[in-house]
Amino acid sequence: MCIRDRYQRRVRGVRSVTMVRYQLNNFSKTSKAPRRAYDKERLDAEMKIIGNYGLKNKREIWRMNLVLSKVRAVARQLLTLEERDPRRIFQGQALITRMIRYGILDEDKQRLDYVLALKVEDFLERRLQTLVFKRGLAKSIHHARVLIRQKHIRVGRQIVDIPSFMAVSYTHL
């Protein structure tokens, strides 16, 4: 059975259970390469993002694009449900709470429409490397990456040596 596609399965011959494609698996790919390898506008935009955020390679952008597309797919699927549907209320509130906890969404933007308006830059702003540079702990975005890899930065009481660590909004560096 393929989880990615929407399908129905008969249970005891009476009911049918509908599975949806947004179930997240722990064993799936972490990034997705673009369909067109030599699209000039995309290549220029990716190089600009790599320079602004000090990324190691384009796979880091593609990984954030995949995360963003999964989050937006969940929001789109929930927006198709009725306004008072308990699943839309529960899962929508959980998604919005998660985005607010990571600092991707603002407190005053607690609607699924704002989740659809997210961009890759919103996710890249919450990386540990970007936060170290923005708080003035490093001289440049590249220096921030070096400090993190050399284990000079801790989040709370935990030493973190992963530059792509997504820091929650209330953590102390």
Side-chain angles (χ1 to χ4, degrees):
M1 289 187 200
C2 182
I3 292 179
R4 292 184 183 182
D5 299 326
R6 190 177 181 126
Y7 67 92
Q8 291 189 343
R9 183 173 47 144
R10 305 242 354 133
V11 178
R12 293 190 191 133
V14 179
R15 289 189 276 163
S16 64
V17 178
T18 303
M19 302 293 285
V20 289
R21 71 178 279 272
Y22 64 85
Q23 290 179 341
L24 302 176
N25 298 326
N26 290 332
F27 53 85
S28 64
K29 290 178 134 183
T30 58
S31 65
K32 182 180 177 190
R35 288 186 180 145
R36 298 180 62 191
Y38 299 107
D39 186 17
K40 182 164 177 39
E41 293 83 22
R42 182 189 51 78
L43 289 172
D44 292 341
E46 285 176 350
M47 288 306 291
K48 189 172 185 179
I49 290 174
I50 285 175
N52 289 342
Y53 294 99
L55 305 179
K56 182 175 77 169
N57 52 29
K58 291 188 179 181
R59 188 179 299 133
E60 292 187 338
I61 298 174
W62 300 342
R63 188 174 62 224
M64 287 297 146
N65 272 331
L66 183 64
V67 170
L68 175 64
S69 67
K70 284 184 179 182
V71 167
R72 292 185 72 215
V74 170
R76 265 195 316 273
Q77 198 276 333
L78 290 175
L79 281 171
T80 60
L81 300 175
E82 293 181 20
E83 188 81 27
R84 299 283 176 211
D85 190 5
R87 193 168 126 220
R88 175 179 172 168
I89 294 170
F90 182 75
Q91 291 182 359
Q93 196 60 38
L95 178 67
I96 290 170
T97 304
R98 193 177 323 126
M99 295 295 116
I100 290 173
R101 188 176 71 228
Y102 280 109
I104 297 168
L105 269 182
D106 294 332
E107 289 281 343
D108 57 338
K109 297 183 177 180
Q110 294 194 9
R111 291 185 54 211
L112 287 174
D113 298 330
Y114 293 115
V115 174
L116 290 179
L118 289 175
K119 299 184 299 279
V120 178
E121 288 82 8
D122 298 327
F123 282 88
L124 291 174
E125 286 289 330
R126 296 305 305 167
R127 295 176 82 237
L128 183 61
Q129 179 180 358
T130 310
L131 293 176
V132 167
F133 173 63
K134 296 273 171 126
R135 300 232 175 123
L137 299 174
K139 296 175 184 174
S140 70
I141 195 82
H142 305 290
H143 184 226
R145 187 177 192 94
V146 170
L147 288 177
I148 294 168
R149 288 300 297 161
Q150 291 176 351
K151 300 182 180 182
H152 294 294
I153 303 296
R154 60 188 178 106
V155 177
R157 301 187 65 157
Q158 183 70 41
I159 292 177
V160 180
D161 65 343
I162 301 167
S164 64
F165 179 78
M166 295 293 281
V168 292
S169 59
Y170 53 84
T171 56
H172 301 289
L173 297 179

